[in-house]
């Protein structure tokens, strides 16, 4: 006989031990504080609306670091400090241009594009060339003899059949990452990549590309979904057409950035660390609200609300606003490097970098016995709509410390349906964030930090 | 030893019987169809953007009925018909006016209000009176001697501590429902009710009120949350202040409306019915996207995608777009009345009227053995993020048939965090709906209909 899942869940809750009942009350108190007095949403408003996009190396990055310092102090951190690291300094330059050039006399509106992060520009005169469309790398290989002197258009659609949209992203993002160099290998002049999104609008979605140094670096842009269809149809119906592309982006020498760190000192084991964070940088073309302003303000909120509700952690809770996740991961690398050099004891690292949407669970990377311990607390999360501890994962910025120190890690797993509508696009703005969804994420994260601090891992 | 919930869930899935594995594949096929070829979102766009608000008795209601008929035919219904019913005919009249009148010379912007549905107007000259603020009915009773000749302002805040926001609504909505008559009992001239919302904007949220015929009917309006604070502070700081209110709404004689019904005839038991629906009417001041355009288009989508994927139901699936949920529930009452009169056999009724957000479960009202049967299928829903079958409930429009015929009922239970931000306010528009969240709701509903049709209940 198969017992119904919910009966089992109810059974688990009914079986909460006395200690778990006490934990349930503490988490409830903490949750009430976040829901009624939380400052995450207002913090996010200030970050997104007064600073906005904050790419590594930009003047806005410097402002964001100062904002983070002030926000951590206001939240009641025992100490706040900067951890310096080198960051790449890529600049977008002038507004990108793209249009279809045709012998036909019909009017074709400009194509809506964004240069890919870290990409080189076309030069000020731009590139005008025929376009070859491919839907896979296999098709590129088949057509490699036709690529030379052309613009390669990777028109691989986001797979709608994945229920969790991060799988669709993982499936499609290789064209953004590897596409330019793989096309350059066969003599392409530039690359256009269909945006990694299933949005219903035409906003292009930027994001970083990685060149293979064996081949010439060529310009690379993302195109909005509607214009991807326009371009595809035009290629099919207008054999003589070309596309004009102009981008003036460039990579400047590395500059200085900082992880911004605030600590709540542990009362019993101050030299044991629990890291919780998000990344402070964002793409330049958006407010970086969901990616990853929400992760930053949720992490700060844990610190604030722990203090407000008298939760005094045994271990030191370190809130880290990481530098340069988007196009380098230098902040996360630096954090791991210093932790290793100082021989710090890190018992857990948690990140929120999958959007500030309504939370559903956590992805984790840790040993099976530790995971079982975490899953044993799942009844405490269910009242907040958090039920899914089943999938592997962890935040980009904490992956270095996980890899180098073996620190168990987890990432908040919010509902993913809306994320890639706005990811790396102009629509990733404050208005796309819901206050309560944001707060519930902070509650889930705070509950996990509270339990791991109390019981160890 | 307490087993972790997720291990139990995984265990349940692993234990899916052969029949359930087959069902899993059928549901997956159906889900893929909805996610890749679904028409719910486009149907919703047409309904909301070309018809808009469609209150019972309005010309838009008539257009919406024709839209529903056409959409059901396009989806492939075997037959489509109207079921006539009487509906109330309330009209809002001119744009409502409200402002603070003070001896002070400072400028106070007009207050943002909406008349409550079914309320009487103030008369064209409006009402100008001092305002007494209360935060509960208890406070009203305590101050009953001070109410005469005044406007009563119910400033009861939405309780943020409820994780599922429908509980906060259930807690607060009594002030909208009972407030006017309870104030009128003590001689109040009009009522202002704080909107039932925790939105961060200032949009007022309308909704129906119910007069007690023992007392004079007085004008009643909802006020936006920011203006509720403005008004409250003013009352405290400016004892001589009054408020001017003007509404010209009125209740006209009943008129004719229709439930719009489309059927997919059962192959084995055509005289056994499974009802699935939403309500076609909406408030006049918004597009009625989440309330309840989404429920209508999701229900239609089930019919379309069943046909597209060759799912031929044994029972007759009846998609019902109910008339007049918002201010009368006449459509739901009529549907139950006719089903009873015809002695129809209804084995299950399902509604979606809690928003088109990402689905999390179903609320249900049915006998325990039936509920256990449904919960036994929960492993089939988990891949779609649907895990919660624990709470009692059911749709408003199907409650009459549940009550009168004993039909087991369920309602889609989407994530509730955003719903009361937009409920009955101008912001309940097409833009607030996410295509994939809408589609996932339809998938969950379709899966439940498929299983109950196949196995009975």
């Amino acid at each position: 006989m198969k017992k119904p899942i919910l009966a089992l869940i109810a059974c688990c809750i009914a079986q909460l031990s006395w200690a778990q009942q006490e934990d349930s009350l503490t988490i409830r108190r903490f949750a009430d504080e976040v829901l009624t007095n939380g400052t995450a949403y207002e913090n996010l408003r200030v970050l997104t609306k007064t600073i906005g996009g904050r790419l590594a190396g930009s003047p806005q990055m410097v402002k964001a670091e100062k904002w983070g310092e002030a926000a951590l102090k206001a939240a009641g951190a025992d100490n706040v400090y900067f951890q310096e690291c080198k960051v790449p300094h890529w600049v977008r330059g002038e507004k990108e241009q793209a249009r279809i050039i045709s012998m036909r006399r019909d009017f074709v509106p400009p194509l809506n594009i964004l240069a890919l992060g870290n990409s080189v520009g076309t030069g000020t005169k731009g590139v005008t060339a025929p376009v070859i469309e491919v839907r896979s790398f296999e098709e590129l290989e088949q057509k490699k003899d036709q690529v030379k002197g052309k613009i390669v258009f990777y028109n691989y659609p986001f797979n709608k059949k994945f229920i969790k949209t991060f799988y669709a992203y993982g499936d499609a993002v290789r064209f953004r990452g590897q596409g330019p160099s793989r096309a350059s290998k066969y003599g392409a002049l530039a690359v256009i990549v269909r945006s990694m999104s299933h949005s219903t609008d035409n906003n292009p979605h930027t994001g970083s590309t990685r060149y293979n140094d064996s081949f010439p670096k060529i310009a690379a842009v993302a195109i909005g979904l509607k214009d991807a269809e326009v371009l595809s149809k035009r290629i099919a119906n207008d054999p003589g057409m070309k596309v004009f592309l102009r981008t003036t982006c460039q990579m400047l020498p590395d500059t200085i950035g900082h992880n911004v760190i605030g600590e709540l000192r542990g009362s019993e084991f101050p030299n044991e660390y629990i890291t919780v964070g998000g990344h402070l940088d964002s793409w330049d073309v958006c407010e970086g609200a969901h990616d990853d302003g929400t992760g930053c303000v949720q992490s700060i909120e844990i610190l604030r609300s722990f203090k407000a509700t008298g939760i005094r952690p045994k271990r030191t809770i370190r809130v880290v606003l990481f530098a340069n996740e988007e196009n380098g991961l230098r902040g996360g690398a630096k954090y791991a490097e210093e932790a290793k050099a100082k021989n710090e004891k890190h018992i857990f690292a948690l990140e929120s970098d999958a959007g500030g949407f309504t939370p559903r669970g956590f992805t984790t990377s840790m040993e099976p016995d530790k995971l079982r311990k975490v899953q044993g607390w799942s009844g405490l999360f269910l009242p907040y709509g958090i039920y899914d501890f089943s999938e592997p994962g962890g935040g980009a910025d904490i992956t270095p410390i996980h890899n180098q120190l073996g620190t168990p890690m987890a990432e908040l797993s919010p509902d993913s349906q809306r994320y890639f509508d706005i990811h790396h696009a102009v629509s990733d703005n404050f208005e796309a964030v819901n206050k309560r969804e944001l707060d519930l994420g902070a509650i889930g994260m705070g509950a996990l930090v509270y339990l791991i601090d109390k019981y160890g891992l």
Side-chain angles (χ1 to χ4, degrees), chain A:
Chain A
M1 183 195 153
K2 270 173 281 303
K3 291 180 185 175
I5 290 170
L6 268 293
L8 292 176
I9 290 175
C11 172
C12 284
I13 295 170
Q15 287 178 17
L16 287 180
S17 64
W18 184 86
Q20 285 204 322
Q21 287 178 31
E22 193 184 60
D23 291 335
S24 172
L25 292 174
T26 303
I27 292 168
R28 183 69 244 189
R29 189 158 43 90
F30 164 75
D32 286 350
E33 169 64 23
V34 174
L35 289 169
T36 53
N37 302 315
T39 60
Y41 190 69
E42 174 60 12
N43 273 342
L44 184 68
R45 188 193 63 76
V46 174
L47 176 64
T48 54
K49 291 300 181 189
T50 71
I51 299 173
R54 44 200 181 276
L55 192 59
S58 69
Q60 290 82 2
M61 176 193 75
V62 178
K63 287 185 191 172
E65 290 172 354
K66 288 180 184 161
W67 167 88
E69 181 184 25
L72 282 162
K73 285 182 179 168
D78 295 322
N79 60 326
V80 179
Y81 56 98
F82 281 16
Q83 187 175 56
E84 187 178 308
C85 60
K86 288 275 179 70
V87 293
H89 188 187
W90 179 81
V91 291
R92 185 170 299 277
E94 295 166 43
K95 177 78 194 92
E96 300 88 338
Q97 295 176 35
R99 54 178 186 271
I100 289 170
I101 310 285
S102 170
M103 297 298 285
R104 296 184 189 169
R105 298 281 172 103
D106 58 331
F107 172 73
V108 186
L111 299 170
N112 200 4
I113 62 159
L114 282 175
L116 296 186
N118 297 349
S119 70
V120 299
T122 57
T124 52
K125 291 186 180 172
V127 167
T128 302
V131 182
I132 180 166
E133 176 180 345
V134 296
R135 297 209 165 224
S136 65
F137 285 132
E138 292 69 30
E139 191 177 351
L140 177 77
E141 296 300 324
Q142 287 162 13
K143 296 183 174 172
K144 63 186 180 185
D145 297 336
Q146 306 167 43
V147 166
K148 192 170 181 182
K150 291 186 184 153
I151 296 170
V152 170
F153 171 34
Y154 290 104
N155 194 17
Y156 182 77
F158 221 54
N159 189 333
K160 296 175 180 174
K161 295 182 182 179
F162 289 110
I163 303 301
K164 296 186 179 178
T165 61
F166 281 87
Y167 290 103
Y169 184 64
D171 173 55
V173 75
R174 59 204 149 114
F175 295 99
R176 195 186 75 206
Q178 307 164 32
S181 285
R182 290 185 68 157
S184 170
K185 179 180 177 185
Y186 300 123
L189 300 181
V191 156
I192 300 172
V193 184
R194 182 187 175 98
S195 289
M196 274 94 236
S197 177
H198 38 42
S199 73
T200 54
D201 59 41
N202 192 36
N203 294 324
H205 296 239
T206 188
S208 65
T209 190
R210 292 184 308 281
Y211 290 116
N212 178 335
D213 290 336
S214 307
F215 309 106
K217 292 178 180 173
I218 57 174
V221 302
I223 188 169
L225 300 195
K226 290 185 179 178
D227 279 353
E229 295 307 311
V230 167
L231 180 59
S232 180
K233 279 187 192 146
R234 194 77 189 204
I235 291 167
N237 300 330
D238 184 0
M241 63 84 76
K242 294 181 179 181
V243 160
F244 168 76
L245 276 186
R246 182 180 185 277
T247 63
T248 60
C249 42
Q250 56 180 317
M251 187 66 90
L252 303 176
D254 279 1
T255 182
I256 299 296
H258 302 89
N259 295 326
V260 184
I261 302 178
E263 291 180 346
L264 203 55
R265 298 291 290 169
S267 58
E268 287 186 40
F269 313 110
N271 295 325
E272 293 187 13
Y273 296 97
I274 293 176
T275 299
V276 52
H279 63 84
L280 189 52
D281 65 312
S282 81
W283 285 103
D284 52 331
V285 294
C286 60
E287 293 175 3
H290 281 287
D291 188 15
D292 182 26
T294 51
C296 292
V297 300
Q298 285 170 326
S299 301
I300 296 169
E301 179 65 9
I302 292 170
L303 200 153
R304 188 201 69 77
S305 52
F306 272 24
K307 290 206 82 157
T309 52
I311 297 176
R312 185 73 197 158
K314 296 181 192 176
R315 277 96 178 170
T316 293
I317 311 295
R318 213 185 243 174
V319 174
V320 185
L321 315 180
F322 290 96
N324 178 229
E325 189 270 346
E326 291 297 358
N327 63 332
L329 210 65
R330 303 279 186 88
K334 181 70 178 182
Y335 185 70
E337 180 191 315
E338 286 220 359
K340 194 171 185 182
K342 293 178 181 168
N343 202 23
E344 288 175 352
K345 186 172 181 186
H346 284 261
I347 71 161
F348 178 58
L350 173 62
E351 181 157 9
S352 166
D353 183 23
F357 299 99
T358 182
R360 284 182 173 264
F362 292 92
T363 59
T364 60
S365 291
M366 58 183 72
E367 290 159 3
D369 62 320
K370 292 181 167 50
L371 180 57
R372 278 193 294 274
K373 188 168 185 176
V374 169
Q375 290 175 335
W377 296 321
S378 55
L380 294 166
F381 290 85
L382 203 55
Y384 306 96
I386 293 171
Y387 64 97
D388 187 357
F389 294 78
S390 65
E391 305 232 356
D397 297 289
I398 55 176
T399 295
I401 199 168
H402 171 75
N403 287 343
Q404 290 178 41
L405 276 73
T407 308
M409 69 170 176
E411 184 171 35
L412 183 70
S413 181
D415 195 279
S416 70
Q417 301 311 318
R418 292 174 183 242
Y419 191 61
F420 291 100
D421 287 356
I422 52 95
H423 181 247
H424 297 181
V426 64
S427 46
D428 181 10
N429 57 22
F430 179 66
E431 290 74 12
V433 177
N434 176 276
K435 180 180 187 306
R436 284 179 61 88
E437 294 184 355
L438 177 71
D439 287 343
L440 284 171
I443 290 167
M445 293 167 70
L448 188 56
V449 168
Y450 162 76
L451 291 164
I452 290 177
D453 173 65
K454 182 170 176 182
Y455 297 108
L457 193 62

